[in-house]
């Protein structure tokens, strides 16, 4: 576990769409052919004030037709005149309703969180999980439903009267190697996140925040295979946790699916940024074989008050790979973040970031927008990675040399020495000033979303070899100190 720094690099927005379609995009897999984009399905709530669409995610292949389906929550939907909340699963093929699930408690917020759960019962079809954080007077619950039949497979509940268990839910894949997909549930007030076996429903891990007000568990998600051991890991947001130097900057913590050990802690920068409000695995965005991570800070102020930002971190090193900024003050950009899969067919995963208070073209319109980002290689001479080769890159190289950072290494010998200055001149002379040049990708891939690596004398150490899979037993982690 180590907080680290990295070069801020630039990625190219590849697709833009309204925020409501963000979860739909994350379900799709595209090739690198040229397309125009049109709505495929439009889903509507039943009545006014249903809050239909408050939460939507991929459901996996629920009906076995080989196509991904979608689950949409409506936490204020009514049944027999009582606002119990609902979650509805739609076919990705024809848009038909496959299942509608209802809560039981009035104002229980059933459907405020919902997700695909993977194949929990090993029947060959994906299942879903739905949270109701105000059920049972605020204790909260989460239910796993069979994709095949709609039957309840598991029900998990909080303990305290105001835990708000089920504030966030997600499938996490098979973390204990038994062939069943497992799930994770977060709380809002209990400062915890819990991983459950899909086979038995027993708790596999419980993770806890440092302080009661951290809101640890506000958002939980599948992190992908961050440590390269063949098993998925977890990421948990704590948007009000203290940072290294400031209070309430927010945190995101990553835990091993094999052992429950903490792999990384990422910290927000300034008080009130809500870093960790949304968290997600990013897939492998830089082609190094390790899955990477996304953390949202929707109140980040770098581009204006509460313009918002999303941070992309390397799963291999923990270094920051990129920061994506909202366009205008009060955009709340990065209110939600997710992997988008390999949208453009370049062999690297892409990411999607949404903001709900702007239309991207103009400030504070409230229309909402989402952007899919893809990696674009930086030229070696483009030291500041702004997409251009200009004289300003010399100053950036001097800074990189002084910091002993990766951008200094212009001759790619793994060192940062004065010889790299001559190499920078050669690289600059082969570059077209003022124009982006997209180079082909070579292994090892060091161009796009460039990451820092340890130099001799650096406080960071080399990454240890990938660990062999270990026997998994239920465990509980202690609060971070």
């Amino acid at each position: 576990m180590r907080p680290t720094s990295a070069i801020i690099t630039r990625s190219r927005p590849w697709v833009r769409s309204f925020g409501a379609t963000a979860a739909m995009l994350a379900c799709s897999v595209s090739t690198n052919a040229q397309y125009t984009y049109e709505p495929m399905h439009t889903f509507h709530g039943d009545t006014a004030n249903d809050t239909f669409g408050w939460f939507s995610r991929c459901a996996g292949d629920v009906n076995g037709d080989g196509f991904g389906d979608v689950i949409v929550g409506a936490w204020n939907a009514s049944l027999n005149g009582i606002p119990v909340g609902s979650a509805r699963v739609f076919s990705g093929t024809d848009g038909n309703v496959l299942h509608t699930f209802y809560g039981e408690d009035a104002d229980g917020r059933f459907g405020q969180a919902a997700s695909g759960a993977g194949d929990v019962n090993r029947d060959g079809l994906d299942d879903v999980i739905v949270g109701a954080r105000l059920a049972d007077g605020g204790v909260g619950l989460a239910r796993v439903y069979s994709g095949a039949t709609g039957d309840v497979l598991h029900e998990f509940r909080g303990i305290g009267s105001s835990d708000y268990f089920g504030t966030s839910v997600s499938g996490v894949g098979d973390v204990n190697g038994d062939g069943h997909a497992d799930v994770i549930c977060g709380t809002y007030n209990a400062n915890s996140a819990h991983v459950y076996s899909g086979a038995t429903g027993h708790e596999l891990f419980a993770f806890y925040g440092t302080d009661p007000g951290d809101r640890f568990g506000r958002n939980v998600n599948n992190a992908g295979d961050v440590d390269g051991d063949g098993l998925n890991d977890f990421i948990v947001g704590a948007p009000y946790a203290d940072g290294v130097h400031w209070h309430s900057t927010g945190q995101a913590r990553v835990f091993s699916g094999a052992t429950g050990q903490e792999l990384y802690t990422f910290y927000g920068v300034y008080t009130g940024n809500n870093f960790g409000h949304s968290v997600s695995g990013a897939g492998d965005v830089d082609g190094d074989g390790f899955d990477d991570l996304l953390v949202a800070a929707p109140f980040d102020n770098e581009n204006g008050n509460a313009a918002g930002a999303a941070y992309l971190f390397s799963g291999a090193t923990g270094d920051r790979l990129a920061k994506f900024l909202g366009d205008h003050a009060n955009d709340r950009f990065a209110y939600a973040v997710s992997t988008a899969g390999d949208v453009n067919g370049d062999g690297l995963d892409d990411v999607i970031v949404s903001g709900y208070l702007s239309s991207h073209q103009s400030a504070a319109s409230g229309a909402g927008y989402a952007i899919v980002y893809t990696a674009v290689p930086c030229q070696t001479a483009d030291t500041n990675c702004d997409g251009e080769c200009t004289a300003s890159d010399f100053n950036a190289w001097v800074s990189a040399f002084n910091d002993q950072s990766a951008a200094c290494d212009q001759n790619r010998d793994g060192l940062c020495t004065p010889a790299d200055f001559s190499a920078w001149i050669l690289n600059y002379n082969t570059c077209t000033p003022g124009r982006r040049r997209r180079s082909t990708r070579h292994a090892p891939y060091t161009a796009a979303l460039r990451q820092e690596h340890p130099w001799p004398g650096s406080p960071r150490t080399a990454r240890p070899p990938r660990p062999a899979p270990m026997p998994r037993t239920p465990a509980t982690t202690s609060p971070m100190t």
Side-chain angles (χ1 to χ4, degrees):
M1 179 189 71
R2 57 188 189 281
T4 56
S5 62
I7 301 169
I8 300 176
T9 62
R10 177 184 177 120
S11 290
R12 177 171 61 91
W14 194 75
V15 176
R16 294 191 178 98
S17 65
F18 291 110
T21 65
M24 297 290 289
L25 282 171
C27 294
S28 64
V29 177
S30 300
T31 69
N32 57 3
Q34 297 298 310
Y35 296 98
T36 58
Y37 296 90
E38 298 177 355
M40 181 176 179
H41 303 300
T42 301
F43 308 123
H44 297 280
D46 295 331
T47 60
N49 301 316
D50 271 4
T51 64
F52 180 86
W54 179 273
F55 203 98
S56 60
R57 272 191 182 173
C58 301
D61 183 10
V62 170
N63 58 354
D65 64 356
F67 294 89
D69 306 309
V70 180
I71 185 168
V72 183
W75 56 262
N76 202 43
S78 293
L79 180 65
N80 298 324
I82 301 172
V84 294
S86 72
R88 189 164 288 168
V89 182
F90 297 91
S91 166
T93 305
D94 54 23
N96 288 336
V97 176
L98 300 177
H99 299 291
T100 299
F101 308 113
Y102 287 99
E104 297 171 354
D105 297 345
D107 301 316
R109 295 290 182 101
F110 181 89
Q112 191 166 4
S115 177
D119 187 4
V120 170
N121 57 356
R122 292 190 68 180
D123 65 352
L125 300 175
D126 288 323
D127 308 305
V128 297
I129 182 170
V130 184
R133 69 174 193 158
L134 297 187
D136 195 14
V139 173
L141 63 81
R143 290 190 181 123
V144 179
Y145 294 91
S146 166
T149 65
D151 294 338
V152 176
L153 301 177
H154 299 295
E155 181 177 288
F156 312 112
R157 288 182 175 265
I159 299 174
S161 60
S162 59
D163 279 2
Y164 290 7
F165 181 92
T167 291
S168 55
V169 295
S170 179
V172 291
D174 180 12
V175 303
N176 59 353
D178 64 356
H180 293 260
D182 307 308
V183 297
I184 186 170
C185 303
T187 66
Y188 188 76
N189 286 333
N191 214 35
S192 63
H194 306 263
V195 180
Y196 297 96
S197 164
T200 65
H202 294 162
E203 186 175 272
L204 300 176
F205 300 107
F207 307 111
Y208 296 93
T210 307
D211 297 312
D214 286 357
R215 299 291 189 249
F216 179 87
R218 165 65 179 80
N219 198 272
V220 298
N221 216 327
N222 182 358
D225 185 8
V226 172
D227 55 4
D229 65 354
L231 299 173
N232 284 348
D233 307 305
F234 329 112
I235 183 167
V236 182
Y240 298 102
D242 290 341
V244 178
H245 302 296
W246 300 86
H247 294 295
S248 300
T249 60
Q251 296 177 5
R253 295 163 64 186
V254 183
F255 300 92
S256 165
T259 66
Q261 293 179 340
E262 192 166 329
L263 301 176
Y264 295 113
T265 294
F266 303 111
Y267 295 95
V269 180
Y270 298 113
T271 297
N273 282 0
N274 273 33
F275 182 89
H277 172 85
S278 179
V279 294
S280 178
D284 184 6
V285 302
D286 55 3
D288 64 354
F290 293 85
D291 287 328
D292 305 306
L293 304 151
L294 267 174
V295 182
F299 288 86
D300 183 275
N301 296 324
E302 183 172 336
N303 224 21
N305 182 54
Y311 294 78
L312 182 63
F313 296 96
S314 165
T317 66
D319 290 339
R320 194 173 84 185
L321 300 177
K323 182 178 181 180
F324 310 115
L325 296 173
D327 291 328
H328 309 286
N330 298 312
D331 273 8
R332 306 294 199 274
F333 187 66
Y335 198 81
V337 296
S338 177
T339 179
D342 182 9
V343 172
N344 58 347
D346 64 353
L348 300 175
D349 287 318
D350 308 306
V351 297
I352 185 167
V353 184
S354 65
Y356 72 96
L357 287 182
S358 174
S359 67
H360 188 73
Q361 288 84 6
S362 60
S365 71
Y369 68 101
I371 299 177
V372 175
Y373 292 92
T374 188
V376 175
C378 302
Q379 290 191 98
T380 307
D382 182 14
T383 318
N384 60 13
C385 207
D386 64 354
E388 298 179 335
C389 290
T390 65
S392 64
D393 289 299
F394 170 72
N395 294 329
W397 181 86
V398 172
S399 296
F401 178 82
N402 291 334
D403 294 339
Q404 292 287 288
S405 66
C408 168
D409 182 18
Q410 293 288 304
N411 58 12
R412 294 295 185 246
D413 63 356
L415 302 173
C416 180
T417 68
D420 289 297
F421 173 63
S422 299
W424 181 85
I425 294 175
L426 292 173
N427 292 332
Y428 182 83
N429 287 336
T430 59
C431 178
T432 303
R435 291 187 60 193
R436 175 186 298 277
R437 292 180 59 197
R438 295 192 59 181
S439 58
T440 56
R441 179 159 51 92
H442 301 280
Y445 187 47
T446 57
L449 294 174
R450 186 169 50 217
Q451 58 187 308
E452 289 186 310
H453 55 274
W455 307 109
S458 167
R460 293 194 297 277
T461 57
R463 183 178 179 84
R466 297 185 182 187
M470 300 175 61
R472 270 79 63 187
T473 56
T476 301
T477 63
S478 59
M480 187 185 73
T481 57

